[in-house]
Every structure is written in C-alpha cells, then in structure tokens.
Amino acid sequence: MTPSPSERFAASRSRAQLQQFELFRRELSFDLDEFQIASCASVEAGKSVLVAAPTGAGKTVVAEFGVFLAMRQPNAKIFYTAPIKALSNQKFSEFVRRYGESEVGLLTGDVNINPRARIVVMTTEVLRNMLYAGSDLLDDLAYVIMDEVHYLADRFRGAVWEEVIIHLPSEVRLISLSATVSNAEEFGDWLQTVRGDTDVIVSEERPTPLFQHVLVGQRLYDLFETRDGDIADRVNPDLVRATQGGGGRREDGRDRDRVGRRGRGSSWKEQRFQTARADRAGLTRMLDDADMLPAINFIFSRKGCDQAVSQVLRAGVSLTTREERDEIRWIVEDRCRNLLDQDLAVLGYYEWTEGLERGIAAHHAGLLPAFKEVVEELFQRKLVKLVFATETLALGINMPARTVVLEKLEKFNGESRVPITPGEYTQLTGRAGRRGIDVEGHAVVQWVGGMHPQAIASLASRRSYPMNSSFKPTFNMAVNLIDRFGRARTRSVLESSFAQFQADRAVVDLAKRVRQQEEALAGYEEGMNCHLGDFFEYSRIRRELNDLERKRIPHDEAHQHAARERRQAKLTQLQTALKRHPCHVCPDREQHARWGERYWKLKHDNDKLTRQIESRTGAVAQVFDRITELLLDLGYLAPADSGDKDLTVTDHGRTLARIYGERDLLIAECLRRQVWNELNPQQLAAMAAVLVYEPRREEETLEEYQLPRGAFRGAMQTTEKHWQSLDELAEKYRVPRSSRLATNLAPAIFHWAHGAELERVLEESNLAAGDFVRWCKQVLDVLDQIEKVAEGKFATTARQASSSVRRGIVAYSGVG
C-alpha cells in the first residue's frame, strides 16, 4: 500500500530529526526492532534512557549508538560500566576492533590501559571511586552506559550502582541497560527524580522465539500444548501423562503400567517411580542429532561441571571436525603461551585442551581466568559446541547458544537447597536463541521424580522479576559525602537513593491503609456513642481491666505480698470506676462494647502501621546518622570550626575516604595505629589475605602455630583486638557489623609471595586455580589502596608486597 502524503511527510520529518541515528543505522547489517529505534531516538534527543528487554534482544545496540554519538562530538567521552571484569574485557576487545587501540581504554582495578581514551570500559566500582576522588578523567564526560543495571539488586555490590547514579554530574546522560524487570517503571521514575529527563523503554518480546521442553527419560516433550500451530498457555497433556506414570519403571522394579494410576489423594512429592534419565553423553548425542547445538548445560556446582565434562569425554563423544580441532589447538596455544610450563600440569591444562579439541568445556569461577576467556572465545567462534556452566555465565557475557539445558530447578544458596526463582530461570534460559543466527531457541529441563510440570510452566511463564535496592551507607561513603557536601546535604543525598524511594513508595501504601483504618475508627467511635455518657472512656477502663485480669504476675514476684497487693488495689480501682461510670447502666451497653472491642483491636493494628511508617521514613539517613556518630566518636570526623559545613573530615578520615571494601574502617584504624608497620612484604600480603578472605561454611580459622611466624602473629592479635573493639562500637551505635577475621588463606599467600610453586599453594589453600587468582586480585586491591595512603617505608613495603603477589598466573591477563 502506497503511503499517503501526510505519512510520507511524517516519515521525512522523523528522519530529519534523527540524522545521527540514520547514519548509524546505515552501518548495521540487520534491521532494528521498535524498542531499539525508540531508545536511540531518546538518546539522540539528549535524554537519559532505561532500556529493559530480554537477554539476547539486542539492548547493546543502544549502547553502541551512544558510543557512536560520543565519537562524533569533539572531545566528548563515554564510559561503559559493567558488573564483572569478564564483561568489561569483552566490551573492551569489541570497541578496540571497531575504533582502534588509541581510542579505547580499560580500567578494572587490576588492569589499567589507556585511561585517558575517549571510550573507557570499566567496572562500576572504578567509576564510583573516580567520582569520590573528583578525578580529572571525568572532564568532558558526556555519556555513561550502565550495562546489566539490574545488578543493582545484588546484596554485596549493588549499592555501587546507586552511588554512581546519584553522584554523576547532572549534564552526563545515562544509558541504562537491564533485563526485563517487573518494576522497570518504578526504577525509571526514580531515575527521572535523580537524573532528570529519562525515558523508560520496555520490551517483552524476544527476537528469537524460545521453545520450552521437558526431557522425560529419553523423550523430549513440549512443555506447553500446541493448538493449530500456536503455543497455548496450557501444560502439554502428553507431558502430564508421561510424568504421572506412563513408561519407565518404579523404584521397586515393577512396571508402572501394571501398578495403575496414582490414587486421588497422592501428591507429586509422594510419586515414587523413577524414569531412567538420559545420561550426559546420551543427552549430548540427542542434542547433536536434533541440530540443537551449540548448547549450555547449567549445573549449579563447579565440581558437577568438571565431572560432566569428564563423563562425556569418557563416553567417547566428539563434536568437532579435524579442521576445527587444528584451529582450536592453535588458538589455545596462542592464548596460553604466557603460562609457565611447570604450572600446566597443575592447572589440568592437558585434560582441558583435550575437551576443547572435542568441542566440550566447563565454565565456572574456579577455572583460571585465562582458561575461561579461551572457552568464551571458542564458543563464540562455534568451535566449542557444549559448555557445562554454573549460573555465573548468565551474567551478561556474550555466549548465546541454540539450546540451554537445566538439569535441576534447585540450587544450594550457601545454607540449603532452594528452588530457582522465575527471574533466575528467565536469565538462564535467555541464553538460548542467537539473534541473526537461529530462527528459534530451546530450553530443556530434565525431569526428575517429584517435579510438577505446572511448576516448570510457572517458571517459564513469568518473564520478569522485581529489582529491589540493596543500598546502604558505609563508613567510606560517609566521610566522602560529608567532605563534599557536609552532613545536612549528605542526608538529603542519601534520601534520594532508590532504597529510600522504594521505602517511601511502601510508606505511601501504608499511609493509605492508615487513612482507611482511621475512617473505620471514626465509624466505630460513632457506634460506641452512648446517650448516658462518654462510652469511649468507659471502653478504655473496661479494656484496661480485662488486660490486668489476664496479665500474670512475673514468677519471681509471685510470692511477694506487695506485688499482689498492688495488683489487687489497681483491680479494685478500675472495677469501682467501671461501676460508677454512667454508661455502666446503659441498656445497650454490650452492643456499644462490641463496637469498642473492634475499635481497640483496629487501633492496635493502626498504631503498628504508624510505627512501620516512622521506621521507614528516612531509614537510609538514619543509618547514616548512626555511622556519623560512630566516626565522630573515633575521630574520623570532627565539628567544623567555621564555614557552611557542620562537620569536617580529619586527616584520619581522609585516609578512610580512600579505602574501599567491607573492612574499610578496620584497615583505616590499623593504619592509624601503625599496627602493620613492622611487617615485611610477604607478611603484609598475608595480612591483606586475612582482611579479604571469606571462608567456606565448613572451614575453621587456623590455630596460631599454623600462621606465618615473626611479627605477623603479634600484628594479627592486635588486628583482632581492633576488630573486636569496632564490632562492639557497631553494636552500640546499631550499624552493620563485619564478619570475623579468617586466617585460612594467609599461609598460602605468604608462601606465594615468597616464590613458592603453584602446586604447593593450591594444595595449602585447598582452592581451585580460579579461586586462588580471584582472592589474589582482592589481596592486590587492598595492598594497592594501602600503598596510596601510606607514607615512607611502609608505602614501599606495600608496593613490594604487591609485586611479590603479582606473578605467574596472577599476573597473566588475557586482555589485549
């Protein structure tokens, strides 16, 4: 149909208004969806934007358009922030390929490449630290991209997102990319409040349709029924019959068909039969035969991932051609050429390489970072066809697959096994279906006895989950904000956090209920109206009397004559007052009394709601106030002598302002007291390990004789005393307390810093190579912070400690 003149005019006008977008669009090899067009239009119009869309829908196009715009403006800079270093590394490599090395930088804490570039990729923590330090790298900053912004809900690191959003200069435009969350509009309203003009663009549509399946035994069933070629909301009845008892054998070996159908009173949890599950090798061959590879098989256990790879390899499965094996071998040797020969066997290099050459690999946090990067690259190149992964893979890394397999729908959360949430299910299965490559994606759940098809359907049907703030003030945050704004303005800044915004929204609902109940209370008062006198007063006396009659005298006073006499005297007084009250002889007294009972019960509930409102209103600022009082007590803050600020940051406070992490105040206190000044570099590295290490639940803290000798043991005892003192203060001021110090990693880091071989320290620490590297990076982060705030000889010791840890597999980085 030929467009009308008015439609042609409207289209022409739209193109004229989006000149930059049209230029950007011409460079793309694919068509854009409506949400991408709308998002880019908002960015070109100079607005901030929140884009919420399913995994794999193409949100990064909006980020790329932001980079495109920045590079067409003279001197404009753009920061791309990501929640994890792996994603930062990936984006850095992509931007280098497109814009060249001179235009792109990378800052992840342990990697510092070209920080003054116009495009800088960084972790969110790095940007937060820049903002607090007033870094000149912020000059000419035009845009900030916050990828995976729903990570704001993470209880350990999510608060950093809010700090950045609140403190970015007002002229900086924010491009926030999120998974589909159910409260995107609420989050967008908050962004509008703190950042100004912000558009919220939500898409529920997956560009590649996702088909849900359940594998029962050796047979794959569709999860939902298909009618006339369309997928219905109803669970597939064939699947229901299969999981109720058709085919397979019971635990006692008898055929299910002979046993008959389950009784009406039985439940899914009572279901006793077991279907023979397809083993991993059989499942792999099934997926290969059905052209459903490449696939990611999520197993919520690192050990389970490694065992799965071994099982499939032992079964003789190979998914690659000879040419692919040659290419894989070349890439692996090139990417791992910096690893020491003596470390390769310890790292399981040869077994790992065998799996890669056959197209099979594991991906989890225990894997050496260099190995994880190779797995990601080979999967993107379609050379690795099957990855057994933990859920960390679902966080933003570009590893889309044709199929995602879930062996279980529950995982261990550190304390017990819990079902995965609809949000987690959506995030995991969102990896299935590669845009521009696959016409459809597949999610496969392996059925086990006791699993209800309707429960699987409810996970698959709910595509979004709420994003709730995890923001809380810290000691470091308090001194930084007070130094910049003073106490009063800092309170107002904290009250603008998403945490307080959500609390206030809840307060609005609570206040609405209070108002409704107050209207009901007025009605109850009217029902108590008595022509003989004040029935409200009469009901109060009656209630007080009933409460006293029900109240038992405390056991330790039961035999005390005076206590009984006081109670009896009060009872007599109330009984006399009740009988003398005019309303006592009212013929409608009991009818009035029923209204009175309703009144007092509702008033009790209403008072409770009012207390909830009081506790939520200004809750974030109240925590800040308590932290401020504690810091005043310790001398990190002091009353200001003059000026418009009521508090000033002391020299010790300025040290605290540059220490980031869970133990910021303990580190500042030990530096202030010179607790670690007599340590040598290796001992200081071991002390840093004590400050960062979080032991596994079953681990016990080491005995003193197991710790490094010499000055370390005395310094350790003093550090523990300071931790105890701060913990008591935290309890006194009702602020968050830190966990106990754990020494488990200290010996391994001490020996590593002394030059011990990798095999020894991995055995001593009982850690996987990837975990050891991760803890070493955190040790280095603390040592680097200490070096920046220390002076003289101790600063040199910290620098030497960093150098002694930063070697071998710890020093190696695959970025470049």
Side-chain angles (χ1 to χ4, degrees):
M1 182 177 175
T2 306
S4 67
S6 62
E7 288 173 333
R8 288 199 301 272
F9 175 75
S12 173
R13 185 175 180 183
S14 176
R15 284 193 298 272
Q17 291 173 337
L18 298 174
Q19 292 180 358
Q20 298 299 325
F21 172 66
E22 291 300 329
L23 290 173
F24 170 75
R25 195 175 188 174
R26 287 177 207 161
E27 297 180 4
L28 302 177
S29 58
F30 52 88
D31 294 331
L32 295 180
D33 295 333
E34 286 299 320
F35 87 90
Q36 295 168 319
I37 296 170
S39 301
C40 291
S42 293
V43 175
E44 185 164 353
K47 298 180 181 180
S48 291
V49 65
L50 168 64
V51 186
T55 302
K59 295 184 291 290
T60 53
V61 165
V62 187
E64 288 163 5
F65 179 61
V67 176
F68 176 86
L69 276 182
M71 296 305 286
R72 294 181 68 82
Q73 299 170 23
N75 304 319
K77 291 163 68 172
I78 184 166
F79 289 171
Y80 192 114
T81 71
I84 51 177
K85 292 177 183 177
L87 184 54
S88 297
N89 295 342
Q90 194 172 74
K91 298 309 297 186
F92 170 75
S93 299
E94 289 175 11
F95 287 137
V96 165
R97 284 195 294 271
R98 181 163 184 178
Y99 293 99
E101 291 184 5
S102 63
E103 299 287 3
V104 188
L106 177 66
L107 298 172
T108 62
D110 53 301
V111 176
N112 187 325
I113 300 173
N114 199 14
R116 296 194 175 275
R118 293 185 62 192
I119 308 166
V120 185
V121 182
M122 61 186 68
T123 54
T124 319
E125 282 84 354
V126 169
L127 179 53
R128 186 270 312 272
N129 298 354
M130 272 189 202
L131 290 166
Y132 281 163
S135 171
D136 63 353
L137 295 177
L138 298 166
D139 295 345
D140 298 318
L141 181 62
Y143 302 93
V144 166
I145 298 161
M146 301 199 81
D147 203 353
E148 306 283 338
V149 76
H150 55 273
Y151 208 84
L152 176 146
D154 181 79
R155 67 190 182 98
F156 296 110
R157 296 173 54 217
V160 178
W161 268 250
E162 288 188 54
E163 292 179 71
V164 167
I165 291 168
I166 291 169
H167 299 306
L168 271 175
S170 58
E171 68 273 12
V172 175
R173 297 294 88 191
L174 195 62
I175 300 172
S176 303
L177 310 179
S178 170
T180 310
V181 293
S182 56
N183 60 335
E185 286 77 11
E186 178 189 42
F187 184 57
D189 288 346
W190 174 68
L191 288 174
Q192 177 78 30
T193 302
V194 296
R195 299 297 315 162
D197 208 355
T198 302
D199 285 343
V200 179
I201 294 159
V202 179
S203 172
E204 296 280 356
E205 297 298 318
R206 282 178 52 95
T208 307
L210 178 64
F211 292 93
Q212 308 277 349
H213 312 282
V214 179
L215 181 65
V216 183
Q218 312 291 319
R219 183 174 172 185
L220 201 62
Y221 291 86
D222 290 337
L223 174 57
F224 296 104
E225 186 179 20
T226 303
R227 295 177 184 169
D228 300 325
D230 295 325
I231 297 174
D233 293 332
R234 183 169 171 241
V235 174
N236 182 359
D238 291 338
L239 170 62
V240 174
R241 283 192 291 271
T243 56
Q244 282 181 338
R249 301 180 69 82
R250 299 200 330 170
E251 286 181 347
D252 59 11
R254 295 162 61 195
D255 289 335
R256 282 196 299 248
D257 292 339
R258 294 180 185 174
V259 175
R261 298 179 66 84
R262 294 180 297 131
R264 185 175 294 178
S266 63
S267 71
W268 288 93
K269 289 187 177 180
E270 293 167 355
Q271 189 172 317
R272 303 302 300 160
F273 63 79
Q274 290 183 336
T275 300
R277 294 184 68 178
D279 63 20
R280 285 159 176 158
L283 174 59
T284 302
R285 293 189 178 102
M286 190 185 305
L287 294 175
D288 193 21
D289 291 343
D291 195 25
M292 292 171 70
L293 294 177
I296 300 171
N297 189 327
F298 283 108
I299 301 174
F300 303 118
S301 153
R302 300 178 188 180
K303 186 177 180 181
C305 291
D306 293 334
Q307 288 175 341
V309 172
S310 298
Q311 289 167 10
V312 176
L313 293 180
R314 280 199 306 271
V317 175
S318 181
L319 304 172
T320 53
T321 64
R322 181 174 180 178
E323 292 75 18
E324 288 173 330
R325 288 194 290 275
D326 290 341
E327 187 177 355
I328 290 167
R329 192 177 302 113
W330 182 87
I331 291 172
V332 171
E333 290 174 356
D334 179 68
R335 303 299 185 267
C336 297
R337 64 183 182 276
N338 293 330
L339 296 176
L340 301 175
D341 290 343
Q342 64 263 34
D343 290 344
L344 295 181
V346 180
L347 295 170
Y349 173 83
Y350 302 104
E351 297 85 350
W352 173 69
T353 303
E354 180 193 358
L356 293 178
E357 290 183 10
R358 287 160 67 175
I360 303 160
H363 188 290
H364 55 71
L367 208 62
L368 190 70
F371 286 10
K372 281 199 293 185
E373 291 169 18
V374 170
V375 171
E376 291 160 15
E377 180 180 353
L378 293 178
F379 196 81
Q380 289 164 22
R381 288 175 178 242
K382 308 175 194 174
L383 295 171
V384 163
K385 315 297 174 68
L386 176 63
V387 171
F388 293 96
T390 57
E391 69 268 31
T392 54
L393 181 58
L395 258 181
I397 302 172
N398 183 24
M399 281 182 66
R402 182 167 297 167
T403 303
V404 163
V405 179
L406 298 179
E407 291 193 358
K408 293 182 179 178
L409 295 179
E410 62 178 23
K411 65 176 185 177
F412 186 69
N413 68 355
E415 296 179 358
S416 60
R417 300 206 70 83
V418 296
I420 65 171
T421 65
E424 289 168 332
Y425 184 92
T426 301
Q427 188 84 352
L428 295 167
T429 58
R431 291 277 153 212
R434 300 162 299 176
R435 181 170 185 149
I437 301 174
D438 300 316
V439 294
E440 61 190 37
H442 300 274
V444 177
V445 175
Q446 276 198 281
W447 185 84
V448 294
M451 192 180 281
H452 197 312
Q454 189 59 53
I456 306 173
S458 66
L459 286 175
S461 300
R462 290 176 59 190
R463 292 196 164 275
S464 61
Y465 51 99
M467 178 164 56
N468 295 314
S469 172
S470 59
F471 182 86
K472 58 183 183 295
T474 65
F475 299 111
N476 167 277
M477 185 192 302
V479 291
N480 271 298
L481 294 182
I482 288 173
D483 193 34
R484 290 180 65 191
F485 306 124
R487 183 174 187 170
R489 189 178 164 202
T490 293
R491 285 186 102 260
S492 65
V493 166
L494 294 177
E495 285 174 345
S496 68
S497 66
F498 188 44
Q500 190 58 56
F501 186 83
Q502 288 190 307
D504 290 342
R505 285 273 174 112
V507 164
V508 169
D509 293 334
L510 290 174
K512 183 178 179 181
R513 284 177 58 192
V514 166
R515 286 194 299 273
Q516 291 171 342
Q517 293 185 173
E518 283 174 347
E519 291 173 8
L521 286 171
Y524 294 166
E525 278 195 68
E526 193 174 324
M528 282 192 284
N529 190 27
C530 178
H531 66 288
L532 294 177
D534 185 355
F535 201 91
F536 182 84
E537 182 189 19
Y538 178 79
S539 71
R540 183 189 58 77
I541 297 170
R542 181 170 170 160
R543 184 175 181 82
E544 189 177 352
L545 179 60
N546 289 339
D547 288 346
L548 187 59
E549 286 175 340
R550 286 196 299 265
K551 187 177 180 181
R552 297 178 61 187
I553 299 175
H555 183 70
D556 59 344
E557 294 186 18
H559 302 292
Q560 295 183 15
H561 181 69
R564 289 205 307 275
E565 280 196 341
R566 284 195 301 272
R567 180 174 183 270
Q568 188 57 49
K570 185 66 175 175
L571 282 170
T572 302
Q573 178 190 349
L574 290 171
Q575 288 166 350
T576 302
L578 198 69
K579 290 176 182 177
R580 289 179 177 175
H581 198 285
C583 294
H584 191 64
V585 295
C586 176
D588 297 324
R589 182 185 69 192
E590 291 309 309
Q591 184 179 343
H592 296 326
R594 281 194 291 274
W595 284 109
E597 284 302 310
R598 293 174 188 171
Y599 175 90
W600 290 110
K601 184 178 180 181
L602 186 61
K603 188 175 188 310
H604 174 77
D605 291 343
N606 218 41
D607 289 345
K608 190 175 179 181
L609 287 177
T610 302
R611 288 193 295 272
Q612 285 185 40
I613 290 172
E614 290 171 353
S615 69
R616 293 189 182 197
T617 303
V620 175
Q622 288 170 19
V623 175
F624 163 74
D625 285 339
R626 296 196 289 269
I627 285 175
T628 300
E629 293 303 319
L630 187 152
L631 293 174
L632 277 164
D633 190 343
L634 287 175
Y636 289 90
L637 297 171
D641 295 330
S642 60
D644 57 352
K645 296 179 182 177
D646 56 350
L647 293 177
T648 185
V649 177
T650 65
D651 289 341
H652 299 306
R654 296 193 186 286
T655 297
L656 174 58
R658 298 171 68 188
I659 302 294
Y660 300 93
E662 290 292 315
R663 301 197 186 277
D664 49 5
L665 186 56
L666 177 61
I667 294 172
E669 193 70 358
C670 288
L671 292 174
R672 173 184 183 179
R673 311 289 179 187
Q674 301 183 353
V675 175
W676 305 323
N677 281 29
E678 300 305 314
L679 299 179
N680 63 33
Q682 293 77 23
Q683 291 168 337
L684 183 58
M687 185 60 70
V690 173
L691 296 168
V692 301
Y693 187 64
E694 297 170 11
R696 295 181 291 271
R697 203 169 52 146
E698 67 276 7
E699 284 187 272
E700 295 182 2
T701 303
L702 300 181
E703 299 292 337
E704 184 175 334
Y705 74 88
Q706 297 172 286
L707 301 177
R709 297 179 180 178
F712 180 87
R713 295 184 182 181
M716 184 68 228
Q717 289 177 352
T718 307
T719 302
E720 285 185 317
K721 287 178 182 176
H722 285 299
W723 172 83
Q724 182 68 43
S725 175
L726 293 176
D727 191 59
E728 291 169 0
L729 275 176
E731 184 176 19
K732 173 184 173 182
Y733 284 98
R734 294 181 296 121
V735 300
R737 300 161 70 178
S738 62
S739 58
R740 284 192 166 276
L741 298 170
T743 55
N744 309 65
L745 186 61
I749 294 293
F750 177 78
H751 292 130
W752 176 254
H754 260 299
E757 292 185 357
L758 178 64
E759 184 174 12
R760 175 183 175 182
V761 296
L762 292 182
E763 184 177 344
E764 189 168 26
S765 63
N766 194 29
L767 291 172
D771 289 324
F772 179 72
V773 170
R774 179 167 58 87
W775 288 119
C776 283
K777 298 287 188 184
Q778 293 190 42
V779 166
L780 289 169
D781 186 39
V782 168
L783 292 173
D784 290 343
Q785 290 183 48
I786 290 173
E787 181 190 346
K788 289 174 183 174
V789 298
E791 297 177 350
K793 179 184 174 184
F794 188 57
T796 302
T797 302
R799 184 165 56 255
Q800 292 171 342
S802 292
S803 298
S804 66
V805 174
R806 195 179 279 109
R807 67 178 186 86
I809 62 170
V810 178
Y812 172 75
S813 172
V815 177

